[in-house]
Every structure is written in structure tokens, then in C-alpha cells.
């Protein structure tokens, strides 16, 4: 018996694939074999970039916190070290949001960190 490749199930599968390829250009959205290859690639990029997005956001938050700290006369690393010593559990996302939307509170957080920042000891002294 030859294998049937034009039945209802196969047609529905191809239809589902074409629906997923909506928006792809040229033959990539209506030629089935090309659509499958493109879809595999797209899913691979999506998987990779979900992780990359987390890195990008963390970089953005750190840049924003650093800018807000320097406006108040403190470096980012000093702020983080001071907050860790003060056992402040704010993450970088929240610190960034506070720095943007509530500058007075961020100033208080910087002062808290400044009180707990480790005093540098000179190596020669």
C-alpha cells in the first residue's frame, strides 16, 4: 500500500504551519518546505533571544542606576556594596524604577548605602 500524503491530517498540519508563517516574506510563507525551514530558524532565534533579553534589561537597569548614583555623588559599585552591607533586598529592576519615578526615595536609598559603604584602607598605610 502506498502511503497517503494528501489526507485531512496532513492538510491540517500544513495549514497550521502556514498560519505560523504569517508575515514571512516571499515563498517563506506559502511554500511548505521553505516555510518549515524558516519556522525552525525563527524558533531557534526566539529561544536564544528570550535569554538575551534578560541580559539586555539587566544592562539597562545598571546604566540607569549608575547615572542616578553619579548625580548624587556616588558610584554604582559603592551603592551596591553599601546596600548589601545594609541588607537591603532591592533588586536592580526596582532600583532603576525608583530612580526614574521617585527621585526623593532614591536619594534616601543612596544615603542609606553611603552610611554602610566600606571605608577604603590604604595599602601603604
Amino acid at each position: 500500500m502506498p502511503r497517503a500524503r494528501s489526507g485531512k491530517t496532513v492538510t491540517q498540519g500544513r495549514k497550521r504551519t502556514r498560519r505560523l508563517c504569517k508575515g514571512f516574506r516571499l515563498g517563506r510563507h506559502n511554500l511548505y518546505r521553505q516555510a518549515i525551514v524558516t519556522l525552525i530558524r525563527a524558533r531557534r532565534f526566539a529561544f536564544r533571544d528570550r535569554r538575551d533579553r534578560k541580559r539586555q534589561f539587566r544592562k539597562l537597569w545598571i546604566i540607569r542606576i549608575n547615572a542616578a548614583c553619579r548625580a548624587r555623588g556616588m558610584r554604582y559599585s559603592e551603592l551596591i556594596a553599601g546596600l548589601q552591607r545594609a541588607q537591603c533586598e532591592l533588586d536592580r529592576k526596582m532600583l532603576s524604577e525608583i530612580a526614574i519615578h521617585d527621585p526623593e526615595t532614591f536619594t534616601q536609598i543612596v544615603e542609606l548605602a553611603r552610611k554602610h559603604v566600606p571605608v577604603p584602607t590604604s595599602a601603604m598605610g
Side-chain angles (χ1 to χ4, degrees):
M1 282 297 292
R3 191 159 161 229
R5 299 299 295 155
S6 60
K8 184 178 168 189
T9 323
V10 174
T11 312
Q12 284 176 343
R14 287 185 185 152
K15 194 173 178 182
R16 187 182 321 114
T17 303
R18 287 203 179 94
R19 240 196 332 268
L20 289 170
C21 294
K22 184 180 174 192
F24 291 177
R25 296 185 61 201
L26 304 174
R28 291 168 182 254
H29 76 280
N30 56 15
L31 300 177
Y32 182 67
R33 287 174 69 174
Q34 211 170 338
I36 289 241
V37 171
T38 307
L39 202 55
I40 290 169
R41 233 175 118 78
R43 286 175 172 162
R44 200 175 69 217
F45 285 134
F47 180 83
R48 180 197 70 189
D49 291 340
R50 275 195 297 277
R51 277 138 193 83
D52 191 47
R53 188 187 319 128
K54 293 168 182 60
R55 278 177 282 208
Q56 296 298 327
F57 269 108
R58 185 178 167 98
K59 278 169 60 174
L60 175 68
W61 298 330
I62 289 172
I63 289 167
R64 285 177 176 172
I65 295 166
N66 192 17
C69 284
R70 288 186 184 268
R72 290 160 179 83
M74 192 173 206
R75 290 196 317 270
Y76 169 79
S77 57
E78 291 172 341
L79 175 83
I80 295 299
L83 289 178
Q84 284 174 348
R85 285 181 173 240
Q87 295 180 341
C88 180
E89 302 257 335
L90 286 170
D91 61 356
R92 284 155 184 82
K93 180 180 180 180
M94 285 298 106
L95 283 170
S96 169
E97 290 295 313
I98 292 169
I100 293 168
H101 299 296
D102 196 0
E104 297 84 26
T105 307
F106 190 77
T107 304
Q108 291 174 352
I109 292 171
V110 169
E111 291 309 316
L112 172 74
R114 192 169 276 142
K115 277 192 270 185
H116 289 86
V117 77
V119 179
T121 57
S122 64
M124 293 297 198

